[in-house]
Amino acid sequence: MTTLTDTAPHAPAPRGGIAGSIADSLVVTKRNLIRMTRIPEMVVFGLVQPVMFVILFSFVFGGSLNIGGSTDPKAYREFLMAGIFAQTVTFATAGAGAGIADDMSKGLVDRFRSLPMARGAVLTGRTLADLVQTTLTVVVLAVVGLLVGWRIHEGIPKALGAFALLLLLGYAFSWIGALIGLSVRTPEAATSGGLIWLFPVTFVSNAFVDPEQMASWIRPIAEWNPFSATVQACRELFGNPGVVQSDAWPMQHPVWASLLWSLVIIAVFRTLAVRKYRSASA
């Protein structure tokens, strides 16, 4: 007599180590990029808003503000672009948070949890996909900036360095968005929560006005703002007017300050977001 023994299949163990985590993250990144192409309005609306900011600020406020002793509208447009670039990459935070909150509400996280994959890959894949979309937006924004009179005066290598700092800042802020998306119940709440704190961060800065024109008590806040460091670094690397003269260390060493701020934000908020993800899916 032959005895049949049923053996329950075992789920494959997740690949360990950094290589496995990177591979899993890239798979999730691909999934999110495919999803974006199937919902093109997400990309289109993400492009329209910053373009509107450039056009409105350039032609409404251009000539009304004194930039480096000049009220020439062209000077303000060149002053403006670094701030608009930085604002655009940081506003992608809301999209990152809403996307993660949407996945959580639909139970997609539970499906990922059943797969043999690194726990942090879901969040890393999402933030990398948002970085790709942000890069596309920055490219389009640069073209629009050139059309309205913005120019690069320090050469292509320094300009590429400025764009790298911008994208690093955007990637850092997307981890803040990831944490917000994991902490709320709906995508709508994630969008609101992702934007409400960004307005003071972007406007209490050197993005649109010289901090020297601000009240004395708020000026140090603007000068030590991570957002301001990136804007200052971009103006220096682009060779645009409006570089702030200040004794504050971030304003004197903006490239290093921007790099350090972004790396610190990534280290802190990635740790918090992954921990939150693990507890939420436990």
Side-chain angles (χ1 to χ4, degrees):
M1 180 179 294
T2 303
T3 303
L4 298 177
T5 304
D6 294 332
T7 303
H10 294 282
R15 288 171 290 186
I18 296 177
S21 179
I22 292 175
D24 292 340
S25 298
L26 292 177
V27 170
V28 179
T29 301
K30 181 180 178 181
R31 173 258 173 189
N32 283 293
L33 290 175
I34 292 174
R35 180 173 179 267
M36 289 177 184
T37 61
R38 292 176 178 173
I39 313 177
E41 55 268 27
M42 292 174 58
V43 179
V44 172
F45 291 154
L47 293 173
V48 169
Q49 180 178 318
V51 170
M52 288 179 58
F53 270 116
V54 172
I55 296 173
L56 290 174
F57 274 82
S58 296
F59 295 100
V60 173
F61 295 105
S64 63
L65 296 176
N66 188 316
I67 303 300
S70 172
T71 56
D72 182 1
K74 185 177 183 297
Y76 182 70
R77 289 167 195 163
E78 292 205 337
F79 168 86
L80 172 71
M81 284 307 300
I84 294 292
F85 279 130
Q87 184 188 57
T88 299
V89 299
T90 54
F91 270 36
T93 300
I100 290 173
D102 187 50
D103 287 344
M104 293 284 289
S105 65
K106 291 179 178 178
L108 189 62
V109 169
D110 292 332
R111 300 179 192 175
F112 282 135
R113 188 185 169 209
S114 67
L115 299 175
M117 61 188 299
R119 285 288 182 258
V122 174
L123 302 181
T124 302
R126 175 71 211 195
T127 54
L128 288 176
D130 289 330
L131 180 62
V132 173
Q133 183 177 356
T134 300
T135 302
L136 174 62
T137 304
V138 168
V139 170
V140 173
L141 195 56
V143 173
V144 175
L146 292 171
L147 292 176
V148 300
W150 169 68
R151 294 294 182 268
I152 295 169
H153 303 286
E154 294 292 332
I156 298 299
K158 286 188 176 181
L160 292 177
F163 286 123
L165 289 176
L166 286 166
L167 293 176
L168 182 62
L169 180 71
Y171 182 69
F173 274 49
S174 70
W175 281 105
I176 302 177
L179 181 61
I180 293 173
L182 292 167
S183 303
V184 298
R185 297 181 180 179
T186 64
E188 293 79 10
T191 301
S192 299
L195 287 175
I196 193 170
W197 63 274
L198 277 174
F199 282 103
V201 168
T202 54
F203 282 96
V204 183
S205 72
N206 59 354
F208 305 111
V209 297
D210 188 337
E212 290 294 325
Q213 302 177 24
M214 299 179 181
S216 59
W217 65 270
I218 204 172
R219 192 180 309 150
I221 299 175
E223 293 174 340
W224 283 87
N225 185 344
F227 185 86
S228 294
T230 301
V231 173
Q232 176 94 334
C234 288
R235 286 187 180 132
E236 285 193 359
L237 295 172
F238 289 142
N240 293 156
V243 175
V244 176
Q245 302 301 319
S246 168
D247 293 332
W249 186 84
M251 296 295 98
Q252 293 181 343
H253 308 279
V255 174
W256 285 108
S258 175
L259 182 62
L260 290 173
W261 271 122
S262 295
L263 293 178
V264 168
I265 291 171
I266 291 172
V268 172
F269 284 93
R270 187 185 188 280
T271 301
L272 294 175
V274 172
R275 184 178 300 171
K276 183 73 175 178
Y277 173 78
R278 287 173 174 169
S279 65
S281 59

